[in-house]
Amino acid sequence: MTAVLPSRPTVRPDRPVGGRLIDQFEYGLDAPICLTWELTYACNLACVHCLSSSGRRDPRELSTAEAERVIDELQRMQVFYVNVGGGEPTVRPDFWHLLDYAIDHQVGVKFSTNGIKLDKKRAAQLAATDYVDVQLSLDGATAEVNDRVRGTGSFATATRALENLAEAGMKDFKVSVVVTRENVGQLDQFKALTDSFGAQLRITRFRPSGRGADVWDELHPTQAQQRELYNWLLANGDNVLTGDSFFHLSAYGEALPGLNLCGAGRVVCLIDPVGDVYACPFAIHENFLAGNVRDEGGFQRVWQTSDLFQELRSPQTGGACTKCAHFDACRGGCMAAKFFTGLPLDGPDPECVQGYGETALAARDADRTAPKSHIDHSHSGPVRGQPTLLGFPSIPAKLCDESPLAGMQ
Ligand code: SF4
Ligand code: SF4
């Protein structure tokens, strides 16, 4: 297939030349520097906060040949690495082939996994491969905390995979943690656990995306916990990866390391398992859908010319946040967090550390329901090791289990 080159200019004429990187990023780049590619919606787990509501495979998933074509395109665009996720990417039968294919085409791969397929043999294979990085997902530093969110046995699966990687001599692998109300008190334990495997800790912000929207109220850190997290990052941040996760905390005072800007559509985007391209992995919703890699011109055309991405590449000029004294540090926070809690995109983040998010949530139009993603591949029935968090509504076996008088006239 010959890629049809975009007819519109690919470099914004108003993008500043030289100066601070953040100012250039605001206007977008010719290729994303943080591209996430979810290879499949299939997953052996059913984590309560899954941002992509994964579980069942989508029959329209990109074929092996189509996935190879995407990799060819990324190579042409000089995308040097891609974050591969899902669902659980390793359950795709061609996962190991696509990994090799990407590396052979100078596209490094960083993949996230729950560890289900990382036995000793795979760990040794990964340790012997250059340009590959692995992230094991854990949302509790103990089985008790982790398994309530990710499902019974998931802590044991992940730590076994970590042991296998460490034993195989794998370097620089990561433990990836979504910070929640339940695990924020375990940050030191996470660090110790990660260090014990010779790995590096990566923490990310919990967003109300996918199934995360259903448990947002119960799981997102309290204001006091956000302060605790900020202090912990100031003390430990140099050795911990965070991506663009916590820049809204910079409004407490000191800027944190990492990208202090929402990179959605500017330097960040998502390709989902069926080839749809969204502005950010946390924004799987029609409003943030820019195109599909199967369309004429492929991914390059979507990235460089879609109307949505052009729009996102403009600096914010209006809205409540631009009047805030902390705007330069916090930039209004996370677009996805605002959108999925039903707040305006130019107003404060729901977790605004100055407290304006709470005010905005309270003032939110009572009739207004928070937008839901149109994508949901959650398992329709029970899954082995189902998470126990928030106890799925307990259904009494018989009416009289609840009250001896229930149902009686
Ligand atoms: S929408 Fe939120 S998660 Fe996505 S790039 Fe922006 S700040 Fe990051
Ligand atoms: S009002 Fe907006 S810019 Fe100010 S701290 Fe809150 S989220 Fe950040």
Side-chain angles (χ1 to χ4, degrees):
M1 184 175 73
T2 316
V4 179
L5 288 174
S7 51
R8 274 189 272 170
T10 59
V11 179
R12 285 186 58 134
D14 44 357
R15 188 202 293 166
V17 179
R20 294 188 311 165
L21 266 185
I22 195 167
D23 296 329
Q24 299 188 37
F25 286 176
E26 201 157 32
Y27 289 85
L29 301 178
D30 296 339
I33 52 175
C34 187
L35 168 62
T36 300
W37 185 1
E38 290 178 349
L39 278 183
T40 181
Y41 281 118
C43 189
N44 54 308
L45 297 183
C47 304
V48 291
H49 59 346
C50 178
L51 70 98
S52 56
S53 300
S54 286
R56 290 169 292 123
R57 184 180 165 272
D58 192 310
R60 300 165 302 154
E61 209 167 69
L62 295 181
S63 66
T64 306
E66 285 175 314
E68 287 173 355
R69 278 202 290 277
V70 172
I71 294 168
D72 294 343
E73 218 186 330
L74 299 182
Q75 182 185 23
R76 282 198 299 275
M77 291 175 75
Q78 297 186 303
V79 174
F80 297 119
Y81 83 92
V82 59
N83 296 298
V84 167
E88 171 52 47
T90 62
V91 302
R92 244 188 97 126
D94 58 1
F95 172 77
W96 302 100
H97 162 75
L98 291 175
L99 180 73
D100 288 340
Y101 189 91
I103 293 164
D104 288 348
H105 289 76
Q106 287 83 49
V107 179
V109 173
K110 184 186 285 185
F111 73 94
S112 298
T113 174
N114 58 42
I116 184 73
K117 299 280 184 184
L118 290 196
D119 56 17
K120 288 183 190 300
K121 187 170 146 248
R122 287 300 184 196
Q125 176 188 340
L126 289 168
T129 310
D130 287 334
Y131 307 116
V132 66
D133 195 6
V134 190
Q135 292 186 165
L136 264 292
S137 301
L138 266 186
D139 293 325
T142 53
E144 190 198 358
V145 173
N146 179 79
D147 291 4
R148 270 163 57 72
V149 175
R150 301 185 61 83
T152 309
S154 58
F155 183 83
T157 303
T159 47
R160 202 175 310 119
L162 287 166
E163 274 162 22
N164 291 340
L165 290 169
E167 264 176 43
M170 180 85 186
K171 297 270 179 286
D172 297 327
F173 56 105
K174 317 283 184 292
V175 172
S176 184
V177 175
V178 177
V179 179
T180 65
R181 193 171 300 183
E182 302 223 332
N183 68 20
V184 72
Q186 294 189 311
L187 289 169
D188 285 330
Q189 275 172 275
F190 278 120
K191 184 78 177 67
L193 180 85
T194 307
D195 288 348
S196 74
F197 291 109
Q200 192 174 14
L201 180 61
R202 173 177 182 267
I203 62 173
T204 57
R205 183 176 170 191
F206 171 47
R207 274 101 170 177
S209 314
R211 287 197 292 270
D214 304 333
V215 289
W216 170 256
D217 289 340
E218 288 85 352
L219 274 189
H220 83 96
T222 62
Q223 283 277 336
Q225 288 177 327
Q226 293 211 82
R227 173 62 87 166
E228 186 186 330
L229 171 62
Y230 174 69
N231 291 337
W232 191 87
L233 281 169
L234 285 182
N236 300 279
D238 287 345
N239 301 315
V240 176
L241 303 172
T242 56
D244 73 359
S245 275
F246 298 109
F247 64 90
H248 69 297
L249 299 180
S250 298
Y252 277 129
E254 209 174 308
L256 296 167
L259 177 66
N260 282 314
L261 170 80
C262 170
R266 294 168 163 144
V267 294
V268 172
C269 78
L270 167 78
I271 302 177
D272 91 341
V274 301
D276 281 339
V277 181
Y278 294 90
C280 153
F282 296 94
I284 302 179
H285 187 278
E286 295 106 326
N287 288 24
F288 303 106
L289 177 58
N292 189 289
V293 300
R294 286 170 167 143
D295 297 342
E296 199 181 5
F299 173 72
Q300 182 173 5
R301 189 178 186 115
V302 177
W303 175 260
Q304 295 184 342
T305 70
S306 73
D307 291 340
L308 174 72
F309 287 178
Q310 298 298 318
E311 212 175 293
L312 288 171
R313 289 169 195 168
S314 308
Q316 185 176 332
T317 50
C321 280
T322 52
K323 298 186 191 81
C324 170
H326 304 279
F327 181 70
D328 265 358
C330 153
R331 307 245 171 185
C334 171
M335 178 186 80
K338 292 189 253 202
F339 181 76
F340 286 115
T341 48
L343 294 181
L345 299 188
D346 59 1
D349 186 294
E351 290 184 322
C352 163
V353 298
Q354 299 298 322
Y356 299 119
E358 283 173 2
T359 315
L361 286 170
R364 200 177 37 183
D365 188 345
D367 303 332
R368 184 160 178 203
T369 47
K372 280 286 260 180
S373 172
H374 59 298
I375 302 287
D376 190 349
H377 293 82
S378 302
H379 292 289
S380 44
V383 176
R384 192 140 40 112
Q386 191 110 36
T388 55
L389 179 78
L390 316 174
F392 287 90
S394 64
I395 301 163
K398 293 178 281 185
L399 278 179
C400 62
D401 286 345
E402 205 157 57
S403 157
L405 299 177
M408 293 180 76
Q409 297 300 319

